[in-house]
Amino acid sequence: MGSGIFGTFFQNDPEKPLAYGEVNLINPPRRRLRGEPEKEGIPVQPVIVGFCGTDHELMMMGKRGELSPKFPAGQNRLINGHEGVVWVPSQDRFAIVLIRGGDSIDPTRYTEEESYFEYGCDQADGLFCDRMYVNPDMLLEIPEGHVHGGRLDLSFAKKMVFPDPFACMLFQLERMEDLGSAHLFRRTARRLGCGEVQARAAAAEEIFERTVIFGLGTAGMFIGDLIRRAHPDSRIVFVARSPEDSPKVRFALRQAGGTYVRSCHSRPEDLAADICASLGGRATVFIGVSGSAAEHEMAFRHRVLGCNGLYNSFSLGPRITFDSMPFGFENHLIFGSINFRQDHMEKAIRMLEASPYDQIVELIDKDEFTADPIGSYENRIYCKNAPMKTAVVWNRSRINPEG
């Protein structure tokens, strides 16, 4: 007898790495943090789910037969999806799933001797299904005022496909402030003639003086928005391939401020010159979010990143190379991390509530998506002319389309 639960799932298959069909759910005990008890999940019903670039990368891993470490224990498939809102029948409420947990003091920054899991990404099933199980301690509250007659307002629901990536960017901002403060405070203290406490605060501000964001997906837009809010005097330059009058460029500049340099040059050195001209000098921070090798080439080979500059590698895939001679003498600092904490997630929910980010979310019909998941990924969700963000309403009865 079948389970009656349907969803999309990744598998190792060169022809069909992503499929839609009936799935057998599992519910092993899981813990949110080290020292807490393991708990079986309680059943929740996904309501709206967003598509993430990670989903596409996992699909490609399945095509190459590389997904086995990502499967839940004893399974040969992974139900995907890690961004969205669920309905919790036993608690009569909506919730946001805290994606990462495990036997760690901080599962989003686990160490070698610790373990972790991620719903929809790594060793735990996700949201693209009719029902799933979630540790009850990992169901985050949503703000009041967005539920009417037991249904969630669509405009708010669209914003809630973003807490995971927005929380990642809150983490990135915090890390860049920490690193900038530690990297520059001695130099800043000498220049200002001040003590360490004042110098560290000033250095955390100065690291964003001339900021390049290379790539303009949602990650690039979010980090630009957050830098502008926290450091309003920062000069921010977005670099991407989209035409200057494209909706996403206009939205990003309206939301995050800054200027835009279109990457359409026949010679990379000309692009580098235009970026530096727009910055008014070489960059103090270079944030790579495009997923392309052009990031490190522009920063290091073509010297867009200035002396004492910070390079933030947020892309998955590209290799970073640099000439060790100028790298050492120009005192560059490179870091990469794609993590966040629960408090970042909760802060992201509150900030997104007051944002206009529902405007960049387009919906794909559930029946269209489930009829051809791979085709939807390749031709609608991740194609050249895809919207900035795509989501699917999985449970229409729980959404207020007029809200």
PDB file of all heavy atoms in Angstrom, residues 309-330:
ATOM      1  N   GLY A 309      42.549  44.766   1.067  1.00  0.00           N
ATOM      2  CA  GLY A 309      41.157  44.482   0.754  1.00  0.00           C
ATOM      3  C   GLY A 309      40.705  43.111   1.201  1.00  0.00           C
ATOM      4  O   GLY A 309      41.502  42.179   1.386  1.00  0.00           O
ATOM      5  N   LEU A 310      39.398  42.966   1.352  1.00  0.00           N
ATOM      6  CA  LEU A 310      38.758  41.725   1.796  1.00  0.00           C
ATOM      7  C   LEU A 310      38.025  41.101   0.617  1.00  0.00           C
ATOM      8  O   LEU A 310      37.238  41.770  -0.062  1.00  0.00           O
ATOM      9  CB  LEU A 310      37.776  42.047   2.921  1.00  0.00           C
ATOM     10  CG  LEU A 310      36.854  40.928   3.408  1.00  0.00           C
ATOM     11  CD1 LEU A 310      37.656  39.797   4.026  1.00  0.00           C
ATOM     12  CD2 LEU A 310      35.846  41.481   4.421  1.00  0.00           C
ATOM     13  N   TYR A 311      38.273  39.813   0.374  1.00  0.00           N
ATOM     14  CA  TYR A 311      37.590  39.077  -0.693  1.00  0.00           C
ATOM     15  C   TYR A 311      36.650  38.070  -0.049  1.00  0.00           C
ATOM     16  O   TYR A 311      37.076  37.176   0.673  1.00  0.00           O
ATOM     17  CB  TYR A 311      38.605  38.345  -1.578  1.00  0.00           C
ATOM     18  CG  TYR A 311      37.991  37.640  -2.777  1.00  0.00           C
ATOM     19  CD1 TYR A 311      37.833  38.293  -3.986  1.00  0.00           C
ATOM     20  CD2 TYR A 311      37.557  36.314  -2.681  1.00  0.00           C
ATOM     21  CE1 TYR A 311      37.266  37.656  -5.082  1.00  0.00           C
ATOM     22  CE2 TYR A 311      36.990  35.663  -3.766  1.00  0.00           C
ATOM     23  CZ  TYR A 311      36.844  36.336  -4.967  1.00  0.00           C
ATOM     24  OH  TYR A 311      36.283  35.708  -6.039  1.00  0.00           O
ATOM     25  N   ASN A 312      35.359  38.224  -0.326  1.00  0.00           N
ATOM     26  CA  ASN A 312      34.328  37.349   0.227  1.00  0.00           C
ATOM     27  C   ASN A 312      33.858  36.412  -0.873  1.00  0.00           C
ATOM     28  O   ASN A 312      33.178  36.822  -1.811  1.00  0.00           O
ATOM     29  CB  ASN A 312      33.163  38.198   0.759  1.00  0.00           C
ATOM     30  CG  ASN A 312      32.041  37.351   1.350  1.00  0.00           C
ATOM     31  OD1 ASN A 312      32.002  36.142   1.179  1.00  0.00           O
ATOM     32  ND2 ASN A 312      31.119  37.996   2.039  1.00  0.00           N
ATOM     33  N   SER A 313      34.207  35.136  -0.761  1.00  0.00           N
ATOM     34  CA  SER A 313      33.805  34.149  -1.757  1.00  0.00           C
ATOM     35  C   SER A 313      32.520  33.475  -1.310  1.00  0.00           C
ATOM     36  O   SER A 313      32.531  32.616  -0.437  1.00  0.00           O
ATOM     37  CB  SER A 313      34.917  33.100  -1.937  1.00  0.00           C
ATOM     38  OG  SER A 313      34.483  32.064  -2.788  1.00  0.00           O
ATOM     39  N   PHE A 314      31.390  33.877  -1.925  1.00  0.00           N
ATOM     40  CA  PHE A 314      30.111  33.283  -1.568  1.00  0.00           C
ATOM     41  C   PHE A 314      29.598  32.333  -2.650  1.00  0.00           C
ATOM     42  O   PHE A 314      28.579  31.694  -2.486  1.00  0.00           O
ATOM     43  CB  PHE A 314      29.074  34.380  -1.307  1.00  0.00           C
ATOM     44  CG  PHE A 314      27.824  33.870  -0.642  1.00  0.00           C
ATOM     45  CD1 PHE A 314      27.821  33.535   0.700  1.00  0.00           C
ATOM     46  CD2 PHE A 314      26.653  33.704  -1.364  1.00  0.00           C
ATOM     47  CE1 PHE A 314      26.680  33.049   1.320  1.00  0.00           C
ATOM     48  CE2 PHE A 314      25.500  33.212  -0.755  1.00  0.00           C
ATOM     49  CZ  PHE A 314      25.515  32.886   0.593  1.00  0.00           C
ATOM     50  N   SER A 315      30.284  32.245  -3.765  1.00  0.00           N
ATOM     51  CA  SER A 315      29.844  31.378  -4.858  1.00  0.00           C
ATOM     52  C   SER A 315      30.250  29.932  -4.610  1.00  0.00           C
ATOM     53  O   SER A 315      31.311  29.660  -4.034  1.00  0.00           O
ATOM     54  CB  SER A 315      30.449  31.839  -6.182  1.00  0.00           C
ATOM     55  OG  SER A 315      29.943  33.085  -6.574  1.00  0.00           O
ATOM     56  N   LEU A 316      29.408  29.027  -5.087  1.00  0.00           N
ATOM     57  CA  LEU A 316      29.738  27.610  -5.068  1.00  0.00           C
ATOM     58  C   LEU A 316      30.189  27.205  -6.469  1.00  0.00           C
ATOM     59  O   LEU A 316      29.480  27.455  -7.438  1.00  0.00           O
ATOM     60  CB  LEU A 316      28.528  26.771  -4.659  1.00  0.00           C
ATOM     61  CG  LEU A 316      28.043  26.928  -3.216  1.00  0.00           C
ATOM     62  CD1 LEU A 316      26.786  26.111  -2.998  1.00  0.00           C
ATOM     63  CD2 LEU A 316      29.122  26.506  -2.244  1.00  0.00           C
ATOM     64  N   GLY A 317      31.361  26.601  -6.572  1.00  0.00           N
ATOM     65  CA  GLY A 317      31.819  26.112  -7.869  1.00  0.00           C
ATOM     66  C   GLY A 317      33.148  26.659  -8.338  1.00  0.00           C
ATOM     67  O   GLY A 317      34.063  25.891  -8.636  1.00  0.00           O
ATOM     68  N   PRO A 318      33.302  27.995  -8.430  1.00  0.00           N
ATOM     69  CA  PRO A 318      34.544  28.519  -9.007  1.00  0.00           C
ATOM     70  C   PRO A 318      35.758  28.246  -8.129  1.00  0.00           C
ATOM     71  O   PRO A 318      35.677  28.246  -6.898  1.00  0.00           O
ATOM     72  CB  PRO A 318      34.295  30.028  -9.095  1.00  0.00           C
ATOM     73  CG  PRO A 318      32.843  30.210  -8.909  1.00  0.00           C
ATOM     74  CD  PRO A 318      32.341  29.057  -8.121  1.00  0.00           C
ATOM     75  N   ARG A 319      36.876  28.014  -8.781  1.00  0.00           N
ATOM     76  CA  ARG A 319      38.151  27.932  -8.078  1.00  0.00           C
ATOM     77  C   ARG A 319      38.741  29.327  -7.971  1.00  0.00           C
ATOM     78  O   ARG A 319      38.603  30.143  -8.877  1.00  0.00           O
ATOM     79  CB  ARG A 319      39.127  27.019  -8.825  1.00  0.00           C
ATOM     80  CG  ARG A 319      38.700  25.553  -8.846  1.00  0.00           C
ATOM     81  CD  ARG A 319      39.714  24.706  -9.592  1.00  0.00           C
ATOM     82  NE  ARG A 319      39.323  23.309  -9.608  1.00  0.00           N
ATOM     83  CZ  ARG A 319      39.667  22.433  -8.663  1.00  0.00           C
ATOM     84  NH1 ARG A 319      40.421  22.824  -7.655  1.00  0.00           N
ATOM     85  NH2 ARG A 319      39.273  21.181  -8.741  1.00  0.00           N
ATOM     86  N   ILE A 320      39.403  29.595  -6.860  1.00  0.00           N
ATOM     87  CA  ILE A 320      40.041  30.892  -6.649  1.00  0.00           C
ATOM     88  C   ILE A 320      41.544  30.728  -6.801  1.00  0.00           C
ATOM     89  O   ILE A 320      42.154  29.892  -6.123  1.00  0.00           O
ATOM     90  CB  ILE A 320      39.724  31.454  -5.248  1.00  0.00           C
ATOM     91  CG1 ILE A 320      38.224  31.662  -5.084  1.00  0.00           C
ATOM     92  CG2 ILE A 320      40.468  32.764  -5.002  1.00  0.00           C
ATOM     93  CD1 ILE A 320      37.819  32.061  -3.685  1.00  0.00           C
ATOM     94  N   THR A 321      42.145  31.495  -7.689  1.00  0.00           N
ATOM     95  CA  THR A 321      43.599  31.494  -7.837  1.00  0.00           C
ATOM     96  C   THR A 321      44.104  32.925  -7.775  1.00  0.00           C
ATOM     97  O   THR A 321      43.378  33.875  -8.087  1.00  0.00           O
ATOM     98  CB  THR A 321      44.023  30.862  -9.174  1.00  0.00           C
ATOM     99  OG1 THR A 321      43.495  31.637 -10.253  1.00  0.00           O
ATOM    100  CG2 THR A 321      43.529  29.433  -9.293  1.00  0.00           C
ATOM    101  N   PHE A 322      45.352  33.068  -7.361  1.00  0.00           N
ATOM    102  CA  PHE A 322      45.953  34.395  -7.301  1.00  0.00           C
ATOM    103  C   PHE A 322      47.461  34.250  -7.355  1.00  0.00           C
ATOM    104  O   PHE A 322      48.025  33.199  -7.014  1.00  0.00           O
ATOM    105  CB  PHE A 322      45.543  35.136  -6.015  1.00  0.00           C
ATOM    106  CG  PHE A 322      45.764  34.348  -4.753  1.00  0.00           C
ATOM    107  CD1 PHE A 322      46.994  34.352  -4.126  1.00  0.00           C
ATOM    108  CD2 PHE A 322      44.745  33.590  -4.195  1.00  0.00           C
ATOM    109  CE1 PHE A 322      47.207  33.615  -2.970  1.00  0.00           C
ATOM    110  CE2 PHE A 322      44.941  32.858  -3.038  1.00  0.00           C
ATOM    111  CZ  PHE A 322      46.186  32.877  -2.423  1.00  0.00           C
ATOM    112  N   ASP A 323      48.115  35.293  -7.798  1.00  0.00           N
ATOM    113  CA  ASP A 323      49.574  35.360  -7.827  1.00  0.00           C
ATOM    114  C   ASP A 323      50.049  35.685  -6.414  1.00  0.00           C
ATOM    115  O   ASP A 323      49.687  36.728  -5.846  1.00  0.00           O
ATOM    116  CB  ASP A 323      50.008  36.444  -8.816  1.00  0.00           C
ATOM    117  CG  ASP A 323      51.521  36.503  -8.991  1.00  0.00           C
ATOM    118  OD1 ASP A 323      52.253  36.089  -8.064  1.00  0.00           O
ATOM    119  OD2 ASP A 323      51.972  36.973 -10.046  1.00  0.00           O
ATOM    120  N   SER A 324      50.844  34.809  -5.818  1.00  0.00           N
ATOM    121  CA  SER A 324      51.207  34.964  -4.411  1.00  0.00           C
ATOM    122  C   SER A 324      52.055  36.194  -4.130  1.00  0.00           C
ATOM    123  O   SER A 324      52.061  36.695  -3.009  1.00  0.00           O
ATOM    124  CB  SER A 324      51.935  33.714  -3.906  1.00  0.00           C
ATOM    125  OG  SER A 324      53.112  33.494  -4.663  1.00  0.00           O
ATOM    126  N   MET A 325      52.754  36.718  -5.140  1.00  0.00           N
ATOM    127  CA  MET A 325      53.581  37.896  -4.889  1.00  0.00           C
ATOM    128  C   MET A 325      52.721  39.133  -4.584  1.00  0.00           C
ATOM    129  O   MET A 325      52.813  39.677  -3.482  1.00  0.00           O
ATOM    130  CB  MET A 325      54.513  38.153  -6.071  1.00  0.00           C
ATOM    131  CG  MET A 325      55.413  39.376  -5.891  1.00  0.00           C
ATOM    132  SD  MET A 325      56.646  39.189  -4.587  1.00  0.00           S
ATOM    133  CE  MET A 325      57.875  38.214  -5.459  1.00  0.00           C
ATOM    134  N   PRO A 326      51.865  39.594  -5.487  1.00  0.00           N
ATOM    135  CA  PRO A 326      51.026  40.745  -5.112  1.00  0.00           C
ATOM    136  C   PRO A 326      50.044  40.424  -3.989  1.00  0.00           C
ATOM    137  O   PRO A 326      49.726  41.296  -3.177  1.00  0.00           O
ATOM    138  CB  PRO A 326      50.302  41.102  -6.411  1.00  0.00           C
ATOM    139  CG  PRO A 326      50.399  39.899  -7.273  1.00  0.00           C
ATOM    140  CD  PRO A 326      51.664  39.227  -6.894  1.00  0.00           C
ATOM    141  N   PHE A 327      49.589  39.174  -3.926  1.00  0.00           N
ATOM    142  CA  PHE A 327      48.646  38.799  -2.874  1.00  0.00           C
ATOM    143  C   PHE A 327      49.248  39.078  -1.497  1.00  0.00           C
ATOM    144  O   PHE A 327      48.614  39.671  -0.627  1.00  0.00           O
ATOM    145  CB  PHE A 327      48.283  37.325  -3.002  1.00  0.00           C
ATOM    146  CG  PHE A 327      47.473  36.785  -1.844  1.00  0.00           C
ATOM    147  CD1 PHE A 327      46.125  37.072  -1.745  1.00  0.00           C
ATOM    148  CD2 PHE A 327      48.058  35.998  -0.871  1.00  0.00           C
ATOM    149  CE1 PHE A 327      45.370  36.574  -0.688  1.00  0.00           C
ATOM    150  CE2 PHE A 327      47.317  35.506   0.188  1.00  0.00           C
ATOM    151  CZ  PHE A 327      45.970  35.797   0.285  1.00  0.00           C
ATOM    152  N   GLY A 328      50.487  38.644  -1.310  1.00  0.00           N
ATOM    153  CA  GLY A 328      51.132  38.837  -0.018  1.00  0.00           C
ATOM    154  C   GLY A 328      51.443  40.297   0.271  1.00  0.00           C
ATOM    155  O   GLY A 328      51.186  40.801   1.359  1.00  0.00           O
ATOM    156  N   PHE A 329      51.991  40.993  -0.716  1.00  0.00           N
ATOM    157  CA  PHE A 329      52.402  42.369  -0.486  1.00  0.00           C
ATOM    158  C   PHE A 329      51.212  43.329  -0.410  1.00  0.00           C
ATOM    159  O   PHE A 329      51.307  44.368   0.247  1.00  0.00           O
ATOM    160  CB  PHE A 329      53.381  42.824  -1.573  1.00  0.00           C
ATOM    161  CG  PHE A 329      54.781  42.351  -1.317  1.00  0.00           C
ATOM    162  CD1 PHE A 329      55.251  41.184  -1.888  1.00  0.00           C
ATOM    163  CD2 PHE A 329      55.631  43.058  -0.474  1.00  0.00           C
ATOM    164  CE1 PHE A 329      56.539  40.727  -1.644  1.00  0.00           C
ATOM    165  CE2 PHE A 329      56.914  42.613  -0.213  1.00  0.00           C
ATOM    166  CZ  PHE A 329      57.382  41.442  -0.800  1.00  0.00           C
ATOM    167  N   GLU A 330      50.117  42.977  -1.081  1.00  0.00           N
ATOM    168  CA  GLU A 330      48.950  43.855  -0.999  1.00  0.00           C
ATOM    169  C   GLU A 330      48.052  43.506   0.194  1.00  0.00           C
ATOM    170  O   GLU A 330      47.034  44.149   0.414  1.00  0.00           O
ATOM    171  CB  GLU A 330      48.157  43.809  -2.304  1.00  0.00           C
ATOM    172  CG  GLU A 330      48.947  44.413  -3.461  1.00  0.00           C
ATOM    173  CD  GLU A 330      48.088  44.711  -4.673  1.00  0.00           C
ATOM    174  OE1 GLU A 330      46.931  44.236  -4.739  1.00  0.00           O
ATOM    175  OE2 GLU A 330      48.572  45.436  -5.562  1.00  0.00           O
TER     176      GLU A 330
END
